[in-house]
Amino acid sequence: MEETGEPPSNGTNSNAIDDETALTQQNMEADEASVNGEADLENNFLHQPLLKRNRTLSASHLAMVGAKVSYIESLDYEINENDLFKQDWRSRSKIQVLQYVFLKWKLAFLVGLLTGLIATLINLAVENISGYKLLLVSGFLEQERFMMGLIVLTGANFLLTLSSTVLVVFFAPTAAGPGIPEIKAYLNGIDTPNMYGLPTLLVKIFGSIGAVSASLDLGKEGPLVHIGACIASLLGQGGTEKHRVKWRWYRYMNNDRDRRDLITCGSSSGVCAAFRSPVGGVLFSLEEVATWWRSALLWRTFFSTAVVVVVLRTFIEYCSSGECGLFGRGGLIMFDVSNVVVHYHLMDIIPVTLIGLIGGVLGSLYNYALHKILRFYNLINERGKLAKILLSLTVSVFTSVCMYGLPFLVSCTECDPSLSDFDCSTTGRTGNYKRFNCPKGYYNDLASLLFSTNDDAVQNIFSTNTPGEFRPITLVIYFVLYCILGLFTFGIAVPSGLFLPIILIGSAYGRLLGIAMGSYTKIDRGLYAVLGAASLMAGSMRMTVSLCVIFLELTNNLLLLPITMLVLLIAKSVGDCFNLSIYEIILDLKGLPFLDANPEPWMRNITVGELADVKPPVVSLRGVEKVSRIVDVLKNTTHNGFPVIDDHTTIPTRGNIKARELHGLILRAYLVAVLKKKWFLEQPRRTEEWEVREKFTWAELAERDLNFEQVAIEKHEMGMYVDLHPFTNKTPYTVIEDMSAAKAMVLFRQVALRHMLIVPKYQGDGIYPVIGILTRQDLRAHNIQSVFPHIARAKGREKQK
């Protein structure tokens, strides 16, 4: 249920209808003036009203969460300072405060521990499944049974893709995709239903294993971020929705704010588990997914990522002795060049700058193409579950055929005489030089990239001191193929990540540029591949600081830092000139009402009072309200917050003058809790503080699963009363009606609000204390433009000038 739903028409009176008629007439006149060019938007001062509305400010509350259409609402990150909260906070002893602090650190430790263990499990499974699959196919290649090898490879990938897709489609549709856009939305204040439950977690784990093992052009990095967030959410709420821990000390975590912090730790741990990059994981959350941040959260996220690194290092040391099958040293750190001396001079700035420019342009083109393909896939997915499965299987078969068939189209390359037979022309699943269909002493350079796991492909294309390993035509084929596979694989109904496909595409053109530079540069071609991967990631995802640290921790070489920073800055700047980042594009496609940090410039010319004018009349309650009135409001509105107004309140400083008082704001969940417990009064009166504490606790009000449909009210109870004062947030955030929409949006986002009350500029007898309520939907530029269409016309005229 959403806080911006329209109240029923019976809440208006005849005067309101007359006002609406007058406003409509003014709107028509104002629209004519706008069309004739008489109104100038940028020269319109705040105290001058803009053109009035031609429709009601509203928005859709449906959004895509994973691959499932869900009804969304906002989260309560604001501290609700009512009487029960204040009493609960005052009653906490020093021991209880220490328990609360210790609990947050303990949960941060468990998030890191479990994320590290699950990441190890996924890597073990992927490396072994993929390894034995490739070894089996390599046996058929050695026997020159080429068709049998194609059938086995395609069949194995088909079954792995089928298993992953069936898990997603039938058991957890929210597990599809990377999950990072939904995490960004959650940390921005949007509740994404079923996104962090146990079924989603399990499907994400086993679905990722199946999809990555099927050699699809996707990575496990995005799913690992989602897995870390799922673990954090389950720990934060004490288990699943049906089976929760009810320990008394666990009640301190039963709020959206602490759960938000824990999910931030989970997303950092996921990035750390994917790249073995603890500092990069923290910075990823700070730069990309988190909307709200503070120093205490920084420490806990760093602690979580440190635990992840310890777990991964422990298992790498254990598996290095061969105890983990084909896992070996794992694919957890993709490229270590700590022993490589990096040389570059002033002239190398030119190719490095060129890589940044190419990365920015290609990144924006990649985002544009992916946006169109995701729209097309949405039309296919609307046809039902069978269509989703067939789409995934089609992509799997196409990928398998390209992976196996294309290496036959390139000629074999003779091995370097300085390399031994063991180092060159290998037939196993690892190694830079894959023999594939070539005779002994030769290798197939395209097979070295295609006929391997994605982690091994990254290591091969990043390899240093191998200037002649890959021919230009091979890299061109690989680049074009992975652009196609990357675009058409993302969006199918499997857990998928964007990091690895973009790294592989970027590394291909980076190495190509290194070959083109030839003797004019001293930078190794493998390092050009690293810079290419970094540039495309910055051009598509628009991250800089976190990517720089991630690549620094991957390469383990500080000498790469200056040129990596330059590449990332150029690529991001170029990409920003064309379109949004890939995650922002996905957020918009899914319909998630994400509030960006920067409002549109024209929003400074619209006041919140004007936004209130285009909203339905505010629905308020009295401090001591009739049960029948509360029931009627809950039945006939979908609002989640209601102003509480006290009539005839005495103003102490004005000689006992009576006036209306804005007592605060009460949430819908609190009203349902009051009705459920039947805390009714025979006569209208203010209750004492002890009366409320006997019946309610703060932990009970923090529950989010209260449903009005489950509340049964007897007929004789309708005439009773409820004192709402103890449950009302007495300090809601209020803004004056003259505040600009731009300033209100910045405040709304930075303080992480769910409701913002608009109060009149002038106070006095006969003036209602609340003009309206703003929610995140009311402050989105797209929704405002739909109500004020003259804004779009004014923007169009400005562009023509």
Side-chain angles (χ1 to χ4, degrees), residues 296-369:
L297 181 58
L298 176 70
W299 280 102
R300 285 202 299 276
T301 53
F302 186 67
F303 177 60
S304 294
T305 56
V307 174
V308 174
V309 170
V310 171
V311 173
L312 295 180
R313 171 56 64 183
T314 301
F315 274 92
I316 288 174
E317 292 296 330
Y318 175 75
C319 293
S320 61
S321 60
E323 298 291 334
C324 305
L326 298 179
F327 179 65
R329 292 168 60 186
L332 297 172
I333 185 164
M334 297 184 295
F335 186 54
D336 190 339
V337 291
S338 55
N339 58 343
V340 176
V341 179
V342 181
H343 296 284
Y344 49 86
H345 50 73
L346 185 61
M347 291 302 296
D348 289 323
I349 296 296
I350 298 175
V352 167
T353 303
L354 185 59
I355 286 181
L357 292 172
I358 294 173
V361 173
L362 286 182
S364 59
L365 285 175
Y366 189 87
N367 293 355
Y368 175 81

Side-chain angles (χ1 to χ4, degrees), residues 3 36 39 129 138 147 156 173 185 189 260 312 353 372 399 446 491 520 543 599 601 671-672 691:
E3 60 273 15
N36 295 330
I129 294 173
S138 297
M147 187 55 65
R260 170 191 61 188
L312 295 180
T353 303
K372 299 300 181 183
T399 302
L446 185 56
Y520 293 100
M543 294 185 292
L671 294 174
V672 175
E691 294 182 80

Side-chain angles (χ1 to χ4, degrees), residues 355 462 502-510 528-538 547 551:
I355 286 181
F462 279 4
I502 292 177
I503 287 175
L504 290 171
I505 296 169
S507 60
Y509 75 72
Y528 268 108
V530 175
L531 295 177
S535 69
L536 189 59
M537 289 186 73
L547 280 183
F551 275 93

